[in-house]
Amino acid sequence: LEVKLKKDDTGLEFYVIVIHAKASSDQSSYDKRVDISNNLMNYLSTSRSSDYVILLGDFNDKMIGSITNGESSPYQNFVNSSAFNTISSSLNSGSQSEHSLPGFGNTIDHIILSDEFTSSFIKDGSLNILEDELRSLYPDYTATVSDHFPVNLILKL
């Protein structure tokens, strides 16, 4: 899903692209995520190369490493690209206490920003998984709402 938005007071136009990639840790599913990543990178490089882009959603894999044993991230092309900030990569560090997919110990929901969104657009310390906040409000969240917790980032637009 791609939506073009415009902030009225500043006139800033930007695109939000939401993805839901193939789930599961088997090789075939991993290969499909690699294809999605490559096709998405190609699309963004040819059609949105100078646009402000927020890419977010259920990537169904990590930015650092992979849920598929022995594989690197299927999104390694984004991680390695200077045209994108895979800001949620840090959520795949071993020290992370909250995860977007609890019970599996992984964050597979991510936010990627195009390089047009410089660090001045990002509110310091705002990247967060809303696991603790939602569990405190809705103790049965994973049984009644979703098996994923949202990844949150505040942008100063």
Side-chain angles (χ1 to χ4, degrees):
L1 171 67
E2 178 181 79
V3 179
K4 182 178 182 181
L5 302 170
K6 181 177 181 180
K7 191 161 184 324
D8 283 341
D9 60 342
T10 64
L12 177 69
E13 293 182 343
F14 59 99
Y15 293 84
V16 176
I17 299 173
V18 180
I19 72 164
H20 188 187
K22 175 70 174 94
S24 298
S25 61
D26 62 278
Q27 192 64 46
S28 175
S29 298
Y30 173 83
D31 292 342
K32 288 178 182 176
R33 289 190 297 276
V34 170
D35 287 344
I36 289 167
S37 182
N38 289 332
N39 289 328
L40 190 54
M41 175 67 81
N42 183 53
Y43 169 74
L44 293 172
S45 298
T46 58
S47 300
R48 300 278 169 255
S49 64
S50 60
D51 294 325
Y52 289 79
V53 176
I54 302 168
L55 175 60
L56 54 83
D58 183 354
F59 286 64
N60 266 311
D61 214 319
K62 301 187 289 185
M63 290 289 150
I64 299 172
S66 176
I67 64 169
T68 302
N69 286 335
E71 297 288 359
S72 61
S73 172
Y75 307 102
Q76 197 64 45
N77 54 343
F78 284 94
V79 173
N80 293 341
S81 174
S82 61
F84 297 95
N85 178 354
T86 55
I87 191 157
S88 60
S89 291
S90 63
L91 300 175
N92 290 138
S93 71
S95 63
Q96 196 63 28
S97 63
E98 293 180 303
H99 304 283
S100 70
L101 189 61
F104 291 93
N106 292 314
T107 292
I108 60 172
D109 302 273
H110 293 284
I111 300 171
I112 297 175
L113 304 173
S114 65
D115 64 347
E116 286 76 19
F117 284 107
T118 61
S119 60
S120 65
F121 282 94
I122 301 167
K123 182 178 179 189
D124 289 340
S126 68
L127 179 65
N128 184 28
I129 297 169
L130 300 178
E131 181 178 357
D132 292 342
E133 295 86 345
L134 289 170
R135 280 189 193 275
S136 69
L137 293 170
Y138 309 101
D140 59 349
Y141 179 91
T142 56
T144 60
V145 179
S146 175
D147 61 339
H148 291 246
F149 285 98
V151 175
N152 185 57
L153 178 69
I154 299 173
L155 295 177
K156 301 180 283 185
L157 303 175

